Amino acid sequence: MTRPRRVGVLALQGDFREHLAALRACEVEGVPIRLARDLDAVDALILPGGESTTMERLMEPSLRQAIGLRTQAGMPVMGTCAGMILMAKRVEDGRGDQQPLGLMDIDVRRNAYGRQVDSFEAEVESDAIGGSGPAVFIRAPQVTEHGPEVVPLASHAGQEVAMVQGKRLALAFHPELTPDRRWHQYFLSLDGERR
Ligand code: GLN
């Protein structure tokens, strides 16, 4: 089974350092991605948690385009929290001008958990990680609709919180903020399984 050898992490804003550390723990080289040409050096990409509107604003049009083209060509991509929002086709309750990358056939609602519970940790169970594991939710998005090619992998309190479409993986929570590396390992396995 092949695994990506070098994995890019969008490094414009948010917790990209935690993803780079998680990749190190998985013994894979992580590469910070800021410009379109940085993508040439990697064979998979992670869009981190943070603030999706800020990341969109800081993203050069050429990088945006390169991510779209590489993804269409089969590059595995994982988006966590704000990264999931970036992967969506449509964002509800975004700032009117929010333009996600449209990498997966999902619609999301930002900050969908009310104020009272806007951040929490829960145990989330999934065959993808062979059991249950800790999941940190911070002003997390919810998926309101998805297309038939999107396969739900985990849910919490009646909400789907992890899903995969081909080699694209979206998580509403932050696997990079726990020491549990199974979601990263699952992402790294997608390339070999679904070539
Ligand atoms: N609410 C943030 C957004 O809209 C996401 C929060 C997060 O990544 N923890 O981008």
Side-chain angles (χ1 to χ4, degrees), residues 42-148:
V42 302
D43 35 29
L45 178 66
I46 294 175
L47 306 172
E51 190 53 53
S52 56
T53 51
T54 308
M55 285 190 241
E56 268 184 32
R57 206 155 9 90
L58 296 174
M59 195 181 299
E60 301 269 5
S62 56
L63 175 56
R64 192 185 166 89
Q65 197 189 10
I67 292 175
L69 290 172
R70 287 291 307 276
T71 306
Q72 269 171 29
M75 175 178 69
V77 185
M78 169 164 80
T80 63
C81 201
M84 173 196 242
I85 298 171
L86 289 178
M87 288 179 88
K89 217 170 59 183
R90 215 162 59 89
V91 180
E92 290 174 25
D93 305 340
R95 308 176 322 168
D97 57 346
Q98 191 149 2
Q99 287 189 328
L101 300 171
L103 306 180
M104 278 178 77
D105 194 4
I106 56 176
D107 292 355
V108 302
R109 183 178 300 134
R110 292 180 65 215
N111 306 325
Y113 294 87
R115 278 219 168 153
Q116 299 298 321
V117 289
D118 74 356
S119 299
F120 57 97
E121 188 169 330
E123 284 288 310
V124 165
E125 197 180 323
S126 176
D127 287 345
I129 58 165
S132 94
V136 177
F137 293 81
I138 303 170
R139 299 179 66 226
Q142 287 178 350
V143 172
T144 53
E145 257 185 88
H146 65 71

